[in-house]
Amino acid sequence: MLTNKNKKILLDNLLNSPEFEKSKRNQELLKYLVSKELNGINVKESTIAIEFYNKDANFNPGEDTIVRVGIASLRKKLDHYYLTEGRYDTVQICIPKGAYNVVFKSNKSRFKNIIKKSASRSKIFILITVIFFSIILYLFYENYSLRKKFHPLKTNNPVWNEFINAKKPNYLALGDYFFMYKPYKQYRLFIRDPRINSFDEYTKKNSIEQDLLPLEFSYLLPSVATQIIEIMPVLNMSDNPVKYLLSSEISSSDFNKNNVIYIGSYKSLYILEQLLPLFNLKIINDSIGYTLKRLDNDGNIIQSYELPRVFQDNYYTDYSYIGKIKGPGDNTIMIISGGDNIGITEAMKIVISKNFENLIQEYDTKIKYKSPFYFHMIIKTEGLKETGFNHEIVFFEKINSLNS
């Protein structure tokens, strides 16, 4: 049996609920009715009118409906409360229809039904969860088994042999662009200066624009991000995990001790640009734009390839470069690069193609395709935005050693 103390606690909890805290008139009426119940007083409509609504003794309920309207409003508040936030309360404060006295009504049977329904729903949820995770585990196992059976390339593929059967960790270096910004009111204006491609260059050349600040993050070309998806099935054939890093973050020790694959624009090589002489390659940035220069062993320019300018909207030509050499620490270094999106995308398609041998032998039938296979090549691609429509290998040469 509920004591008056327990009833007061129930009343306080209800009055402090969101349903009642903003309805002062309903709060006062409910407190009045509960106080009468606690004192065992049976209230009538006329009593409420005189004591609560300050009506005089001449109050006529047939002409004045203030009590019935107030009680009806309070009853709706209580009903709504117990349908929402108070639905799990084991005791309810009610005003039966046709009456004005509050009653404290046990709600245990309804609560038990809710518990039963909740328990039933929980069992169903647990069953569905078990089935779901069983399916996930099965698919994971099947996918793992399939990956072991299916390889996009042969494990001894001459181009990828050193990465698939890696003795060194494989590093995937993603070419990122260095950006700066200029504070403008509460905003920041992002600025890309092709003359400034690293923080070191920023510190040297920032005297041009003293109010430019280095951005705390860099930018990846869309083609660089999408080519990760293309190359990962090949690299996942290796037992060694792949480590990702931005080209702006790579250090000389990284490409001395690890296999490194660079994917990106010529403009975001950063420290990797120091390796270009090993490939007999040079990038020139002048007033015209970026130009790819192929050199002979004495450093003389053999051929020049003008690279596309930034934000090409029309049909244009790009020159991709793919180069693979043996590094200084018995490791392997590969560069997959282009002037813009279509060059990078086309270079990746070619280098991971199962028909790579046929493609290069169309260029030169004397090429022997077997490991160890170090090489460099230039591909001419024509296209629009990120889509290449046709390509042509304009240069291919095998490299026999690091110093070639």
Side-chain angles (χ1 to χ4, degrees), residues 357-369:
E357 180 180 5
N358 295 333
L359 292 171
I360 60 174
Q361 287 186 342
E362 286 178 7
Y363 176 83
D364 185 351
T365 56
K366 298 178 182 179
I367 296 171
K368 294 181 180 180
Y369 190 61

Side-chain angles (χ1 to χ4, degrees), residues 62 70 77 82 92 101 142 145 148 163 170 183 219 224 263 279 281-282 291 330 355 365 373-374 403:
K77 277 281 183 185
Y82 289 116
Q92 295 181 352
N101 296 295
E142 286 297 309
S145 301
K148 292 183 72 175
F163 300 101
N170 289 324
Y219 168 78
V224 175
I263 304 173
F279 293 99
L281 205 67
K282 190 174 184 180
T291 307
D330 195 27
N355 298 319
T365 56
F373 192 77
Y374 300 105
N403 297 321

Side-chain angles (χ1 to χ4, degrees), residues 10 81-82 85-92 107-108 111:
L10 288 170
Y81 170 80
Y82 289 116
E85 59 186 298
R87 63 188 178 278
Y88 297 129
D89 291 4
T90 55
V91 178
Q92 295 181 352
N107 195 37
K108 288 183 179 178
F111 187 68

Side-chain angles (χ1 to χ4, degrees), residues 155 157-172 231 234-242 258-262 323-325 331-336 351 373-375:
T155 54
N157 180 280
V159 174
W160 296 99
N161 179 44
E162 290 81 3
F163 300 101
I164 295 172
N165 304 295
K167 297 177 182 179
K168 304 270 185 179
N170 289 324
Y171 275 29
L172 194 59
I231 198 173
V234 176
L235 297 182
N236 280 336
M237 293 168 65
S238 172
D239 293 330
N240 283 340
V242 179
N258 308 283
N259 295 326
V260 176
I261 302 170
Y262 168 79
K324 175 189 170 190
I325 58 171
N331 59 327
T332 304
I333 299 169
M334 181 183 285
I335 292 176
I336 304 170
V351 78
F373 192 77
Y374 300 105
F375 66 96

Side-chain angles (χ1 to χ4, degrees), residues 87-143:
R87 63 188 178 278
Y88 297 129
D89 291 4
T90 55
V91 178
Q92 295 181 352
I93 303 174
C94 304
I95 304 174
K97 288 186 177 181
Y100 298 98
N101 296 295
V102 297
V103 295
F104 287 84
K105 177 185 174 183
S106 173
N107 195 37
K108 288 183 179 178
S109 59
R110 183 173 180 272
F111 187 68
K112 287 180 181 178
N113 290 334
I114 291 172
I115 293 297
K116 287 180 181 178
K117 288 180 181 178
S118 298
S120 177
R121 289 173 183 168
S122 296
K123 289 178 182 177
I124 294 172
F125 176 77
I126 291 171
L127 179 61
I128 292 172
T129 302
V130 170
I131 293 172
F132 174 77
F133 279 103
S134 297
I135 293 172
I136 292 297
L137 288 172
Y138 172 75
L139 292 175
F140 178 81
Y141 174 77
E142 286 297 309
N143 180 58

